[in-house]
């Protein structure tokens, strides 16, 4: 039986024809899972658990002569969000390695068997096409080196935390010393040479050791009073003048604020008076109109008309008085 897999790698199309009998291509999920655990020295129980991205990253790491930066991956990812971060890093590294094959981040992170099974089969085919003897790949050692790099880069906060889940802990000893000495100091500042910076760093360490060795003995000269008990600092003439000037400015600001508030109140009072005068004027105009209408009538000398005019004039006189 021949399985034909199409993909593009290194910018050029490939057509791989692989005999399952000759290259022992896994045919079922159990065979594929057993091959993955044996090759990567892992303890996965399901193919869909490869959704964390670590098996895919290590297979491509073997196929690319160990150029995959495994320290960028989270070896303790447990949820879909953390899986997506790992798969996004894998997608970025595919571009850097010129592997023109899509990484379906959303589908793989959901943990569906079909998507992870197909992508794992593609990784298997890509590995056997690029690598003649993948059995010599030190998978557990590569994970341990990545975790040690995460420990060294923990202070800078650019790498995931150095934790590993049980499925990936096989063959890893976190307490083992690193082949490379851990970084004890950051890079030298700009304009300062490496030797000069190391010399200053050694002097600082010696001073810290001396302070630590003498800290157990009481020295009255090194006693510092707590800030709450310290007397207020003395002020010179210039400081007192500046302080007095600030006080004067503050008092002037408060006085201006009070005058502004008073002016606003007076303005509101005048506005109310004007509105009252307008209402009075309108009322007087209405009364004059009423008197005019009464005078225009022929029977203005009647008792009713005279009584109405007298009432209006009486009210007007009372208002003006």
């Amino acid at each position: 039986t021949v399985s034909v897999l199409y993909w593009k790698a290194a910018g050029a199309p490939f057509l791989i024809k692989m005999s399952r009998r000759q290259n022992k291509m896994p045919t079922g999920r159990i065979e594929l899972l057993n091959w993955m655990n044996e090759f990567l020295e892992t303890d996965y129980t399901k193919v869909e658990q490869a959704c964390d991205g670590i098996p895919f990253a290590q297979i491509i790491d073997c196929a690319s002569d160990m150029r995959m930066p495994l320290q960028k991956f989270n070896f303790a990812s447990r949820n879909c969000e953390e899986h997506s971060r790992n798969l996004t890093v894998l997608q970025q590294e595919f571009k850097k390695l010129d592997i023109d094959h899509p990484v379906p981040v959303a589908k793989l992170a959901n943990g569906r068997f079909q998507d992870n099974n197909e992508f794992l089969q593609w990784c298997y085919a890509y590995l056997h096409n690029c690598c003649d003897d993948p059995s010599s790949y030190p998978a557990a050692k590569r994970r341990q080196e990545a975790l040690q790099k995460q420990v060294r880069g923990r202070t800078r906060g650019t790498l995931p935390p150095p934790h590993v889940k049980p499925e990936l802990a096989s063959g890893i000893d976190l307490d083992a010393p690193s082949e490379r000495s851990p970084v004890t100091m950051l890079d030298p500042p700009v304009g300062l040479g490496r030797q000069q910076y190391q010399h200053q760093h050694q002097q600082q360490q010696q001073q810290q050791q001396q302070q630590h060795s003498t800290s157990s003995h009481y020295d009255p000269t090194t006693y510092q009073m707590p800030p709450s008990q310290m007397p207020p600092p003395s002020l010179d003439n210039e400081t007192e003048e500046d302080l007095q000037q600030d006080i004067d400015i503050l008092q002037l600001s408060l006085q201006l604020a009070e005058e502004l508030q008073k002016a606003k109140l007076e303005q509101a009072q005048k506005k109310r008076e004007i509105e009252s005068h307008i209402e009075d004027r309108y009322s007087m105009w209405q009364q004059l109109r009423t008197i005019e209408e009464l005078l225009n009538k022929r029977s203005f000398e009647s008792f009713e008309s005279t009584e109405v005019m007298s009432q209006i004039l009486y009210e007007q006189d009372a208002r003006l008085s």
Side-chain angles (χ1 to χ4, degrees):
T1 305
V2 177
S3 65
V4 182
L5 300 176
Y6 295 90
W7 84 94
K8 294 181 180 180
F14 282 84
L15 172 62
I16 293 183
K17 295 181 179 179
M18 183 179 300
S19 174
R20 285 180 176 170
R21 294 182 181 178
Q22 181 178 358
N23 292 325
K24 298 180 181 180
M25 177 73 175
T27 56
R29 67 169 68 185
I30 302 300
E31 295 181 5
L32 190 63
L33 177 64
N34 293 336
W35 170 82
M36 181 180 67
N37 286 329
E38 182 180 357
F39 175 64
L40 299 178
E41 302 178 44
T42 54
D43 296 322
Y44 287 101
T45 57
K46 297 179 181 179
V47 173
E48 49 266 34
Q49 290 179 350
C51 63
D52 59 5
I54 304 301
F56 307 140
Q58 287 209 263
I59 292 173
I60 302 302
D61 182 52
C62 176
S64 60
D65 297 331
M66 295 187 289
R67 289 185 294 166
M68 179 70 67
L70 298 178
Q71 67 273 11
K72 294 183 179 181
F73 293 86
N74 183 4
F75 292 94
S77 62
R78 285 298 185 184
N79 52 51
C80 182
E81 183 179 358
E82 294 176 348
H83 299 340
S84 299
R85 292 198 193 100
N86 282 349
L87 293 169
T88 303
V89 174
L90 181 66
Q91 188 179 42
Q92 295 172 355
E93 297 302 325
F94 266 37
K95 296 179 181 179
K96 294 180 182 179
L97 296 173
D98 294 332
I99 301 177
D100 190 9
H101 185 81
V103 179
V105 176
K107 293 182 179 181
L108 295 176
N110 289 330
R112 292 181 65 252
F113 165 75
Q114 186 66 26
D115 298 324
N116 287 274
N117 186 64
E118 291 178 358
F119 198 78
L120 187 59
Q121 288 180 352
W122 177 87
C123 291
Y124 179 93
Y126 182 83
L127 173 66
H128 285 82
N129 180 69
C130 298
C131 186
D132 296 333
D133 186 18
S135 59
S136 60
Y137 174 67
K141 183 179 179 181
R142 287 285 293 162
R143 289 198 297 274
Q144 182 169 348
E145 291 176 352
L147 289 169
Q148 290 173 349
K149 289 181 180 179
Q150 290 177 354
V151 172
R152 292 197 297 268
R154 182 171 49 186
T155 55
R156 300 188 182 184
T158 57
L159 297 177
H163 302 304
V164 61
K165 55 186 178 183
E167 293 88 342
L168 299 170
S170 178
I172 295 179
D173 184 12
L174 294 176
D175 297 330
S178 175
E179 296 180 358
R180 176 183 171 188
S181 59
V183 180
T184 58
M185 57 183 176
L186 302 178
D187 296 333
V190 178
L192 192 64
R194 169 67 68 175
Q195 295 181 355
Q196 185 178 1
Y197 180 70
Q198 290 180 351
H199 180 67
Q200 292 183 2
H201 184 69
Q202 291 177 359
Q203 289 182 349
Q204 292 177 359
Q205 287 184 342
Q206 292 177 0
Q207 292 178 359
Q208 291 177 0
Q209 291 178 359
Q210 292 177 359
Q211 292 177 359
H212 179 71
S213 61
T214 58
S215 61
S216 59
H217 302 283
Y218 174 73
D219 187 3
T221 59
T222 60
Y223 174 74
Q224 294 183 356
M225 186 178 297
S228 59
Q229 301 179 4
M230 294 179 64
S234 58
L235 302 177
D236 51 4
N237 295 332
E238 295 182 357
T239 307
E240 290 181 356
E241 292 178 358
D242 295 340
L243 183 60
Q244 185 62 37
Q245 186 178 2
D246 294 339
I247 294 174
D248 296 340
I249 293 174
L250 180 60
Q251 292 178 352
L252 181 60
S253 301
L254 293 175
Q255 184 178 358
L256 291 175
E258 292 178 357
E259 292 179 357
L260 180 62
Q261 185 67 20
K262 185 177 180 181
K264 288 182 178 180
L265 294 176
E266 292 178 355
Q267 185 179 5
Q269 181 65 25
K270 289 182 179 180
K271 185 178 180 180
R272 288 193 295 268
E273 292 178 357
I274 292 173
E275 291 177 353
S276 178
H277 292 327
I278 292 174
E279 292 179 357
D280 294 341
R281 186 182 67 178
Y282 180 75
S283 177
M284 292 174 63
W285 181 79
Q286 290 291 341
Q287 292 175 359
L288 290 174
R289 291 292 300 170
T290 303
I291 294 174
E292 184 179 1
E293 290 177 358
L294 292 173
L295 292 175
N296 290 331
K297 291 181 179 181
R298 295 180 179 180
S299 59
F300 69 93
E301 295 180 355
S302 63
F303 178 76
E304 294 180 357
S305 300
T306 306
E307 185 179 2
V308 172
M309 292 176 61
S310 300
Q311 183 67 24
I312 293 174
L313 294 173
Y314 176 77
E315 291 179 356
Q316 185 67 23
D317 182 64
R319 179 177 297 179
L320 293 175
S321 61

